[in-house]
Amino acid sequence: MTTREDSLASPADAPVQGYCDTRFAAVREQFQQNFVDRSETGAALAVTLDGDLVIDLHGGWTDAKHTKPWAADTIVCCYSVGKAICAILSWRLAERGELDIDRRVADYWPEFAQNGKADIPVRWILTHQSGLPAIRKPLPRGAMLNWDVMTSALAEQAPWWEPGTAHGYHSNTQGFLIGEVIRRVTGRSIGEHLQSDLSEPTGLDFHFGTKPEHDVLTADMLPMQQPPDFRRAPPSALQTLGNRNPPHIQSGPGSQNTREYRAAEFPSTTGHGAARGIARLFGALARDGQLDGFHVLDPVTIEQMSQEQVYGVDYILGRPTRFASGFQMTMTERPLGPNPRTFGHFGGGGSLAFADPDARVGWGYVMNQGRGGWQHRHTRKLLDLLYEAL
């Protein structure tokens, strides 16, 4: 009997393509193996070393039926990698003197001062200390696609804990919070500002809100798989609320592939990009902040934004998290290589962007077949092999 899986095109029919320096041959072999054992459907990996692109690989399929091979210019939803992109945009404004990271949010967004939030600084949004991981007031279905509805609800919401006294992952709300600050400062939506301030000048193929012409380049997101030994801790009440209000804020299988979802400027979750652009951007942050002659950030700013702000048991997730001002940081419980200053952000299922200033490495990994859990072993295998070769 032929099963559906047996009927799919084999990984050999969509071989890994692209460039890989021979020094990192083991990384390429593992990247290929991820398709052979079907832990990946489609994916891309790019790595820069001291500004040079030493790995630029892609393979597999952009769809569940294995009809369209992943191409060099394929983009895909990167989930929470978008949080790090928001942080970079925030720090670029700060470096130009348009935004003060330690100034009150309400100074830029007056409505935010409601219900005990008047003194929350912008930094606490970036460090998940603002106490706003969820919205209490029931919101209508589809509200997460309506910017004004979401930001108005967050302006009204009282903090769930005393701001600054604990950190808890603002999975879905952080992008709206920092995105509204950016909108108030620049007069542009977060998606518009990303394009004009960073993506277009650098050729960074990353978007908050894609256009219909991007659909032909966009890989479908597939239902999340769970590893055989996956044991998920029961979510906290706040985590549950944050994921259910508004209804379907954590969209079900297939909904991420709709035009409505892809067009939404939902920066905590709907950022779409390609591995190469992500690696080039974070490679610049791992060096001097220059990307092919374009100034991304000063080294002094990079040092400031990547300093540890909080490290300990997360109020929402119930496990350790370590954050700089807008970035996840490497930690013993989930290392990003051997160097303590590495910063970046995972996306749901295993996408990953990071900068390692000590090794001068920039990393971008994207895929369309996510796995549950937070250790992302399939990504970690590639990462470990990279550092073994350095």
Short mmCIF file of all heavy atoms in Angstrom, two decimals, residues 46-49 51 80-88 198 204 206 275-291 296 302 305 326-328 342-346 352-357 360-365:
data_model
loop_
_atom_site.label_atom_id
_atom_site.label_comp_id
_atom_site.label_asym_id
_atom_site.label_seq_id
_atom_site.Cartn_x
_atom_site.Cartn_y
_atom_site.Cartn_z
N ALA A 46 22.00 30.55 5.90
CA ALA A 46 23.06 31.44 5.45
C ALA A 46 23.89 31.86 6.66
O ALA A 46 23.35 32.09 7.75
CB ALA A 46 22.49 32.68 4.75
N VAL A 47 25.20 31.94 6.46
CA VAL A 47 26.12 32.33 7.52
C VAL A 47 27.17 33.25 6.93
O VAL A 47 27.72 32.98 5.85
CB VAL A 47 26.82 31.10 8.14
CG1 VAL A 47 27.82 31.53 9.21
CG2 VAL A 47 25.80 30.14 8.73
N THR A 48 27.44 34.35 7.63
CA THR A 48 28.55 35.22 7.27
C THR A 48 29.64 35.09 8.32
O THR A 48 29.36 34.91 9.51
CB THR A 48 28.14 36.69 7.16
OG1 THR A 48 27.69 37.17 8.43
CG2 THR A 48 27.04 36.87 6.12
N LEU A 49 30.88 35.18 7.88
CA LEU A 49 32.04 35.14 8.76
C LEU A 49 32.91 36.34 8.43
O LEU A 49 33.42 36.46 7.31
CB LEU A 49 32.81 33.84 8.58
CG LEU A 49 34.08 33.66 9.41
CD1 LEU A 49 33.77 33.71 10.90
CD2 LEU A 49 34.78 32.35 9.05
N GLY A 51 31.96 39.17 7.72
CA GLY A 51 31.35 39.90 6.62
C GLY A 51 31.24 39.14 5.32
O GLY A 51 30.55 39.59 4.39
N SER A 80 8.97 34.91 15.43
CA SER A 80 9.52 35.90 16.37
C SER A 80 10.88 36.45 15.99
O SER A 80 11.39 37.32 16.70
CB SER A 80 9.59 35.29 17.77
OG SER A 80 8.30 35.13 18.30
N VAL A 81 11.48 36.00 14.91
CA VAL A 81 12.66 36.69 14.39
C VAL A 81 12.31 38.16 14.14
O VAL A 81 13.15 39.05 14.27
CB VAL A 81 13.18 36.02 13.11
CG1 VAL A 81 14.22 36.88 12.40
CG2 VAL A 81 13.78 34.65 13.45
N GLY A 82 11.04 38.41 13.83
CA GLY A 82 10.59 39.79 13.62
C GLY A 82 10.79 40.68 14.84
O GLY A 82 10.93 41.90 14.69
N LYS A 83 10.78 40.11 16.04
CA LYS A 83 11.02 40.91 17.23
C LYS A 83 12.40 41.55 17.20
O LYS A 83 12.59 42.70 17.61
CB LYS A 83 10.84 40.06 18.49
CG LYS A 83 9.42 39.57 18.75
CD LYS A 83 9.36 38.74 20.03
CE LYS A 83 7.93 38.39 20.44
NZ LYS A 83 7.31 37.39 19.57
N ALA A 84 13.40 40.78 16.75
CA ALA A 84 14.75 41.33 16.66
C ALA A 84 14.85 42.41 15.60
O ALA A 84 15.58 43.40 15.77
CB ALA A 84 15.74 40.20 16.36
N ILE A 85 14.11 42.26 14.51
CA ILE A 85 14.10 43.30 13.47
C ILE A 85 13.48 44.58 14.02
O ILE A 85 13.98 45.69 13.78
CB ILE A 85 13.34 42.81 12.22
CG1 ILE A 85 13.95 41.50 11.70
CG2 ILE A 85 13.34 43.89 11.15
CD1 ILE A 85 15.37 41.59 11.23
N CYS A 86 12.40 44.44 14.78
CA CYS A 86 11.79 45.62 15.43
C CYS A 86 12.80 46.30 16.35
O CYS A 86 12.86 47.54 16.41
CB CYS A 86 10.57 45.20 16.25
SG CYS A 86 9.13 44.73 15.28
N ALA A 87 13.57 45.52 17.08
CA ALA A 87 14.56 46.09 17.98
C ALA A 87 15.63 46.87 17.22
O ALA A 87 16.03 47.97 17.63
CB ALA A 87 15.20 44.99 18.82
N ILE A 88 16.08 46.32 16.11
CA ILE A 88 17.08 47.02 15.30
C ILE A 88 16.54 48.35 14.81
O ILE A 88 17.22 49.39 14.87
CB ILE A 88 17.53 46.13 14.12
CG1 ILE A 88 18.28 44.90 14.65
CG2 ILE A 88 18.39 46.92 13.14
CD1 ILE A 88 18.51 43.83 13.60
N LEU A 198 15.39 50.33 6.21
CA LEU A 198 16.38 49.25 6.26
C LEU A 198 16.31 48.30 5.07
O LEU A 198 17.32 48.06 4.42
CB LEU A 198 16.18 48.45 7.57
CG LEU A 198 17.29 47.50 8.00
CD1 LEU A 198 18.61 48.24 8.16
CD2 LEU A 198 16.91 46.81 9.31
N LEU A 204 17.73 43.99 2.03
CA LEU A 204 17.30 42.99 3.01
C LEU A 204 15.91 42.50 2.63
O LEU A 204 14.95 43.27 2.61
CB LEU A 204 17.26 43.62 4.41
CG LEU A 204 16.67 42.77 5.53
CD1 LEU A 204 17.53 41.56 5.81
CD2 LEU A 204 16.49 43.61 6.80
N PHE A 206 13.20 41.30 3.83
CA PHE A 206 12.40 41.06 5.02
C PHE A 206 11.26 42.05 5.03
O PHE A 206 11.43 43.22 4.68
CB PHE A 206 13.24 41.22 6.30
CG PHE A 206 12.65 40.51 7.49
CD1 PHE A 206 13.03 39.22 7.81
CD2 PHE A 206 11.68 41.12 8.28
CE1 PHE A 206 12.47 38.55 8.88
CE2 PHE A 206 11.11 40.47 9.36
CZ PHE A 206 11.51 39.17 9.67
N ALA A 275 16.85 33.72 4.43
CA ALA A 275 18.00 33.48 5.29
C ALA A 275 19.19 34.37 4.93
O ALA A 275 19.89 34.87 5.81
CB ALA A 275 18.39 32.01 5.22
N ARG A 276 19.42 34.55 3.66
CA ARG A 276 20.60 35.32 3.24
C ARG A 276 20.57 36.74 3.76
O ARG A 276 21.56 37.25 4.30
CB ARG A 276 20.71 35.32 1.71
CG ARG A 276 21.95 36.06 1.19
CD ARG A 276 21.88 36.22 -0.32
NE ARG A 276 21.76 34.91 -0.97
CZ ARG A 276 21.22 34.73 -2.18
NH1 ARG A 276 20.70 35.76 -2.82
NH2 ARG A 276 21.17 33.53 -2.70
N GLY A 277 19.43 37.41 3.62
CA GLY A 277 19.32 38.78 4.10
C GLY A 277 19.48 38.87 5.60
O GLY A 277 20.12 39.79 6.13
N ILE A 278 18.88 37.91 6.32
CA ILE A 278 18.98 37.90 7.77
C ILE A 278 20.44 37.72 8.20
O ILE A 278 20.94 38.43 9.09
CB ILE A 278 18.11 36.77 8.35
CG1 ILE A 278 16.63 37.10 8.13
CG2 ILE A 278 18.39 36.57 9.84
CD1 ILE A 278 15.70 35.94 8.44
N ALA A 279 21.15 36.78 7.57
CA ALA A 279 22.55 36.55 7.92
C ALA A 279 23.41 37.77 7.61
O ALA A 279 24.32 38.12 8.40
CB ALA A 279 23.08 35.33 7.17
N ARG A 280 23.17 38.43 6.51
CA ARG A 280 23.94 39.62 6.16
C ARG A 280 23.72 40.73 7.19
O ARG A 280 24.66 41.41 7.62
CB ARG A 280 23.55 40.12 4.77
CG ARG A 280 24.02 39.23 3.63
CD ARG A 280 23.51 39.72 2.29
NE ARG A 280 23.95 41.07 2.00
CZ ARG A 280 23.14 42.12 1.77
NH1 ARG A 280 21.81 41.95 1.83
NH2 ARG A 280 23.62 43.30 1.49
N LEU A 281 22.46 40.91 7.61
CA LEU A 281 22.15 41.95 8.58
C LEU A 281 22.82 41.66 9.92
O LEU A 281 23.49 42.53 10.51
CB LEU A 281 20.64 42.07 8.76
CG LEU A 281 20.15 43.06 9.83
CD1 LEU A 281 20.59 44.48 9.49
CD2 LEU A 281 18.64 42.98 9.98
N PHE A 282 22.66 40.44 10.41
CA PHE A 282 23.25 40.11 11.71
C PHE A 282 24.77 39.97 11.61
O PHE A 282 25.47 40.16 12.61
CB PHE A 282 22.58 38.88 12.30
CG PHE A 282 21.26 39.20 12.93
CD1 PHE A 282 20.10 39.33 12.15
CD2 PHE A 282 21.15 39.43 14.28
CE1 PHE A 282 18.89 39.68 12.71
CE2 PHE A 282 19.94 39.78 14.86
CZ PHE A 282 18.80 39.91 14.08
N GLY A 283 25.26 39.66 10.43
CA GLY A 283 26.70 39.68 10.23
C GLY A 283 27.27 41.07 10.37
O GLY A 283 28.38 41.26 10.90
N ALA A 284 26.52 42.08 9.94
CA ALA A 284 26.96 43.46 10.14
C ALA A 284 26.99 43.81 11.62
O ALA A 284 27.91 44.50 12.10
CB ALA A 284 26.04 44.42 9.38
N LEU A 285 25.99 43.33 12.38
CA LEU A 285 25.94 43.61 13.82
C LEU A 285 27.05 42.86 14.56
O LEU A 285 27.44 43.27 15.67
CB LEU A 285 24.59 43.19 14.38
CG LEU A 285 23.36 43.89 13.80
CD1 LEU A 285 22.09 43.39 14.47
CD2 LEU A 285 23.47 45.41 13.93
N ALA A 286 27.58 41.80 13.97
CA ALA A 286 28.67 41.05 14.59
C ALA A 286 30.03 41.69 14.33
O ALA A 286 31.03 41.25 14.91
CB ALA A 286 28.67 39.60 14.07
N ARG A 287 30.06 42.72 13.50
CA ARG A 287 31.34 43.37 13.16
C ARG A 287 31.30 44.84 13.56
O ARG A 287 31.25 45.17 14.73
CB ARG A 287 31.61 43.20 11.67
CG ARG A 287 31.73 41.75 11.21
CD ARG A 287 31.82 41.63 9.71
NE ARG A 287 33.04 42.18 9.16
CZ ARG A 287 33.09 43.15 8.23
NH1 ARG A 287 31.97 43.67 7.75
NH2 ARG A 287 34.25 43.57 7.78
N ASP A 288 31.23 45.69 12.55
CA ASP A 288 31.32 47.14 12.79
C ASP A 288 30.02 47.87 12.48
O ASP A 288 29.98 49.10 12.47
CB ASP A 288 32.45 47.74 11.95
CG ASP A 288 32.28 47.46 10.45
OD1 ASP A 288 31.25 46.84 10.06
OD2 ASP A 288 33.17 47.84 9.67
N GLY A 289 28.95 47.12 12.23
CA GLY A 289 27.66 47.75 11.95
C GLY A 289 27.50 48.26 10.54
O GLY A 289 26.50 48.95 10.25
N GLN A 290 28.41 47.92 9.65
CA GLN A 290 28.34 48.35 8.26
C GLN A 290 27.95 47.17 7.38
O GLN A 290 28.51 46.08 7.50
CB GLN A 290 29.68 48.91 7.78
CG GLN A 290 30.19 50.08 8.61
CD GLN A 290 29.27 51.29 8.55
OE1 GLN A 290 28.87 51.71 7.45
NE2 GLN A 290 28.96 51.85 9.70
N LEU A 291 26.99 47.39 6.48
CA LEU A 291 26.52 46.34 5.58
C LEU A 291 26.71 46.82 4.15
O LEU A 291 25.94 47.65 3.65
CB LEU A 291 25.05 46.02 5.85
CG LEU A 291 24.40 44.97 4.95
CD1 LEU A 291 25.19 43.67 4.94
CD2 LEU A 291 22.96 44.70 5.39
N VAL A 296 24.35 50.47 9.44
CA VAL A 296 23.23 49.90 10.19
C VAL A 296 23.20 50.49 11.59
O VAL A 296 22.23 51.14 11.98
CB VAL A 296 23.31 48.36 10.24
CG1 VAL A 296 22.12 47.79 11.03
CG2 VAL A 296 23.32 47.77 8.83
N ILE A 302 25.54 49.00 19.20
CA ILE A 302 25.43 47.54 19.21
C ILE A 302 25.79 46.99 20.59
O ILE A 302 25.11 46.10 21.12
CB ILE A 302 26.32 46.91 18.12
CG1 ILE A 302 25.84 47.35 16.73
CG2 ILE A 302 26.32 45.39 18.22
CD1 ILE A 302 26.78 46.99 15.60
N MET A 305 22.82 47.84 23.03
CA MET A 305 21.56 47.12 22.85
C MET A 305 21.70 45.63 23.15
O MET A 305 20.69 44.95 23.40
CB MET A 305 21.03 47.31 21.43
CG MET A 305 21.76 46.58 20.35
SD MET A 305 21.13 47.00 18.71
CE MET A 305 21.94 45.75 17.71
N GLY A 326 15.68 43.93 23.43
CA GLY A 326 15.03 43.59 22.18
C GLY A 326 15.49 42.27 21.58
O GLY A 326 14.97 41.85 20.55
N PHE A 327 16.43 41.61 22.23
CA PHE A 327 17.02 40.40 21.68
C PHE A 327 17.08 39.29 22.74
O PHE A 327 17.31 39.57 23.91
CB PHE A 327 18.44 40.66 21.18
CG PHE A 327 18.53 41.79 20.20
CD1 PHE A 327 18.78 43.08 20.64
CD2 PHE A 327 18.35 41.57 18.84
CE1 PHE A 327 18.86 44.14 19.74
CE2 PHE A 327 18.42 42.62 17.94
CZ PHE A 327 18.68 43.91 18.39
N GLN A 328 16.91 38.05 22.29
CA GLN A 328 17.27 36.92 23.12
C GLN A 328 18.79 36.82 23.14
O GLN A 328 19.46 37.17 22.15
CB GLN A 328 16.68 35.63 22.56
CG GLN A 328 15.17 35.55 22.65
CD GLN A 328 14.60 34.32 21.96
OE1 GLN A 328 15.18 33.80 21.02
NE2 GLN A 328 13.44 33.86 22.42
N THR A 342 26.62 36.51 22.34
CA THR A 342 25.77 36.26 21.17
C THR A 342 24.33 36.66 21.44
O THR A 342 23.77 36.34 22.48
CB THR A 342 25.84 34.78 20.78
OG1 THR A 342 27.20 34.44 20.54
CG2 THR A 342 25.02 34.50 19.54
N PHE A 343 23.73 37.37 20.48
CA PHE A 343 22.36 37.85 20.63
C PHE A 343 21.62 37.73 19.31
O PHE A 343 22.21 37.77 18.24
CB PHE A 343 22.35 39.31 21.12
CG PHE A 343 22.93 40.30 20.12
CD1 PHE A 343 22.11 41.00 19.25
CD2 PHE A 343 24.30 40.52 20.07
CE1 PHE A 343 22.65 41.91 18.34
CE2 PHE A 343 24.85 41.42 19.16
CZ PHE A 343 24.02 42.12 18.29
N GLY A 344 20.30 37.59 19.41
CA GLY A 344 19.47 37.46 18.22
C GLY A 344 18.06 37.10 18.61
O GLY A 344 17.53 37.60 19.59
N HIS A 345 17.44 36.16 17.86
CA HIS A 345 16.10 35.73 18.23
C HIS A 345 15.71 34.48 17.47
O HIS A 345 15.92 34.37 16.26
CB HIS A 345 15.05 36.81 17.95
CG HIS A 345 14.02 36.91 19.03
ND1 HIS A 345 13.08 35.92 19.26
CD2 HIS A 345 13.78 37.87 19.95
CE1 HIS A 345 12.32 36.28 20.28
NE2 HIS A 345 12.72 37.45 20.73
N PHE A 346 15.14 33.51 18.22
CA PHE A 346 14.49 32.37 17.60
C PHE A 346 13.10 32.77 17.12
O PHE A 346 12.48 33.69 17.66
CB PHE A 346 14.32 31.23 18.62
CG PHE A 346 15.50 30.33 18.76
CD1 PHE A 346 16.38 30.49 19.82
CD2 PHE A 346 15.73 29.32 17.84
CE1 PHE A 346 17.47 29.64 19.98
CE2 PHE A 346 16.82 28.47 17.98
CZ PHE A 346 17.70 28.63 19.04
N LEU A 352 15.91 31.12 13.07
CA LEU A 352 16.87 31.73 13.99
C LEU A 352 17.72 32.77 13.29
O LEU A 352 18.21 32.55 12.17
CB LEU A 352 17.79 30.64 14.58
CG LEU A 352 18.94 31.10 15.47
CD1 LEU A 352 18.43 31.80 16.73
CD2 LEU A 352 19.83 29.91 15.85
N ALA A 353 17.88 33.91 13.95
CA ALA A 353 18.82 34.95 13.52
C ALA A 353 19.69 35.30 14.71
O ALA A 353 19.18 35.46 15.82
CB ALA A 353 18.06 36.19 13.06
N PHE A 354 21.01 35.41 14.49
CA PHE A 354 21.85 35.88 15.59
C PHE A 354 23.14 36.48 15.08
O PHE A 354 23.58 36.23 13.95
CB PHE A 354 22.12 34.79 16.62
CG PHE A 354 23.07 33.69 16.22
CD1 PHE A 354 24.45 33.89 16.16
CD2 PHE A 354 22.59 32.41 15.95
CE1 PHE A 354 25.32 32.87 15.83
CE2 PHE A 354 23.46 31.37 15.62
CZ PHE A 354 24.83 31.61 15.55
N ALA A 355 23.75 37.28 15.95
CA ALA A 355 25.06 37.87 15.74
C ALA A 355 25.97 37.43 16.87
O ALA A 355 25.59 37.50 18.04
CB ALA A 355 24.97 39.39 15.71
N ASP A 356 27.16 36.98 16.52
CA ASP A 356 28.18 36.61 17.51
C ASP A 356 29.37 37.54 17.31
O ASP A 356 30.21 37.31 16.43
CB ASP A 356 28.59 35.15 17.31
CG ASP A 356 29.66 34.70 18.29
OD1 ASP A 356 30.26 35.56 18.97
OD2 ASP A 356 29.91 33.48 18.38
N PRO A 357 29.46 38.61 18.11
CA PRO A 357 30.55 39.57 17.93
C PRO A 357 31.94 38.99 18.19
O PRO A 357 32.92 39.49 17.63
CB PRO A 357 30.22 40.66 18.96
CG PRO A 357 28.78 40.49 19.29
CD PRO A 357 28.54 39.01 19.17
N ARG A 360 32.54 36.92 15.14
CA ARG A 360 32.20 37.74 13.96
C ARG A 360 31.35 36.94 12.97
O ARG A 360 31.57 36.96 11.76
CB ARG A 360 33.47 38.31 13.32
CG ARG A 360 34.22 39.24 14.27
CD ARG A 360 35.59 39.60 13.77
NE ARG A 360 35.59 40.61 12.72
CZ ARG A 360 35.52 41.93 12.93
NH1 ARG A 360 35.45 42.41 14.15
NH2 ARG A 360 35.55 42.77 11.91
N VAL A 361 30.36 36.25 13.54
CA VAL A 361 29.46 35.39 12.77
C VAL A 361 28.06 36.00 12.72
O VAL A 361 27.55 36.49 13.74
CB VAL A 361 29.38 33.98 13.40
CG1 VAL A 361 28.16 33.21 12.90
CG2 VAL A 361 30.65 33.20 13.12
N GLY A 362 27.45 35.99 11.55
CA GLY A 362 26.04 36.30 11.39
C GLY A 362 25.31 35.08 10.87
O GLY A 362 25.81 34.40 9.96
N TRP A 363 24.15 34.78 11.41
CA TRP A 363 23.44 33.53 11.12
C TRP A 363 22.00 33.83 10.73
O TRP A 363 21.32 34.64 11.39
CB TRP A 363 23.47 32.65 12.36
CG TRP A 363 22.65 31.39 12.34
CD1 TRP A 363 21.29 31.29 12.47
CD2 TRP A 363 23.13 30.04 12.22
NE1 TRP A 363 20.90 29.97 12.44
CE2 TRP A 363 22.02 29.18 12.29
CE3 TRP A 363 24.41 29.49 12.07
CZ2 TRP A 363 22.13 27.80 12.20
CZ3 TRP A 363 24.52 28.11 11.98
CH2 TRP A 363 23.40 27.28 12.04
N GLY A 364 21.52 33.16 9.69
CA GLY A 364 20.11 33.22 9.33
C GLY A 364 19.62 31.84 8.92
O GLY A 364 20.21 31.21 8.04
N TYR A 365 18.57 31.36 9.59
CA TYR A 365 18.00 30.06 9.27
C TYR A 365 16.49 30.20 9.23
O TYR A 365 15.88 30.73 10.17
CB TYR A 365 18.40 29.01 10.30
CG TYR A 365 17.92 27.61 9.97
CD1 TYR A 365 18.59 26.84 9.03
CD2 TYR A 365 16.79 27.08 10.57
CE1 TYR A 365 18.15 25.56 8.70
CE2 TYR A 365 16.34 25.80 10.25
CZ TYR A 365 17.03 25.05 9.32
OH TYR A 365 16.58 23.80 8.98
#
